[in-house]
Amino acid sequence: MNTIFRKSMLSVAGLAFAGGVFAGPIAAHAANPVDGKPVAVAVQSTAPKPQGDQSHITLNDEQTANVKAIIAATKKAGLPERAAVISIATSLQESKLENLGHLGDKNDHDSLGLFQQRPTSGWGTPEQITDPAYSTTAFLKGLRQVDGWQDMALTDAAQTVQVSAYPDAYAQWEQQATDLVAQHWNS
């Protein structure tokens, strides 16, 4: 779907939603006055729903610390929670949130760290890539360069940055990443 069409559709959906939010309480109050008490209005989240079957792992202390490091780097970069969700889901797929060093024969080329970034691809030195704050900032820099990443399916945004041999694999981690951001964003 091209960017202009997608933005147009989102604008129409936003106007319809806004009309419902503003007209809904007025119509509800007029039809059902409740002794001057405010009427509750349900607001739907605009975050995309996770695609496909979802995976989940139990995190240890190191993995939880890495979640917190990703969130801190996202906040420091001035990006919203959605960027943290995409980053955490990407790291769940790439390393299960473990800061991986060189894995010998099991290594995917020279990939290292939370995001399996490669020094030979310009992500940084091995020392930088294995620093959770640095590697997250590098990932977020790539994400910012993706036009429309905020409205993309998570797996598409992650794949555009990562260029993985398994482009659809990121989607399976969206729910856990969303839950982790909800749990740790304000802590």
Side-chain angles (χ1 to χ4, degrees), residues 56-114:
H56 184 278
I57 60 171
T58 301
L59 304 185
N60 62 31
D61 291 342
E62 176 191 355
Q63 292 164 309
T64 301
N66 289 330
V67 165
K68 292 176 180 180
I70 290 170
I71 290 172
T74 304
K75 286 180 174 182
K76 186 174 181 180
L79 291 171
E81 292 177 43
R82 180 70 178 157
V85 170
I86 295 168
S87 300
I88 290 169
T90 301
S91 182
L92 277 162
Q93 174 57 32
E94 296 292 346
S95 69
K96 303 297 182 276
L97 287 165
E98 294 177 0
N99 196 8
L100 300 175
H102 194 281
L103 302 176
D105 291 340
K106 294 182 190 176
N107 214 46
D108 180 19
H109 306 286
D110 58 341
S111 301
L112 303 168
L114 295 173

Side-chain angles (χ1 to χ4, degrees), residues 2 7 11 27-28 37 44 62 69 72 88-89 91 95-96 105 117 127 145-146 155 166 172 175 177 181 184:
N2 71 36
K7 287 181 180 176
S11 295
K37 295 180 184 174
Q44 294 180 345
E62 176 191 355
I88 290 169
S91 182
S95 69
K96 303 297 182 276
D105 291 340
Q117 295 160 330
E127 293 77 22
Q145 294 174 2
V146 177
T155 198
Y166 305 98
Q172 68 183 313
Q175 188 62 59
V181 170
H184 296 289

Side-chain angles (χ1 to χ4, degrees), residues 37-58:
K37 295 180 184 174
V39 176
V41 178
V43 178
Q44 294 180 345
S45 170
T46 58
K49 294 188 184 207
Q51 296 177 328
D53 293 337
Q54 295 294 295
S55 296
H56 184 278
I57 60 171
T58 301

Side-chain angles (χ1 to χ4, degrees), residues 107-159:
N107 214 46
D108 180 19
H109 306 286
D110 58 341
S111 301
L112 303 168
L114 295 173
F115 296 89
Q116 289 294 280
Q117 295 160 330
R118 298 178 62 195
T120 57
S121 294
W123 285 100
T125 66
E127 293 77 22
Q128 290 172 321
I129 292 171
T130 54
D131 174 347
Y134 177 92
S135 64
T136 302
T137 301
F139 177 81
L140 293 169
K141 181 180 177 185
L143 185 63
R144 281 184 169 171
Q145 294 174 2
V146 177
D147 185 38
W149 67 265
Q150 301 92 330
D151 301 318
M152 282 183 177
L154 180 145
T155 198
D156 295 336
Q159 172 61 11

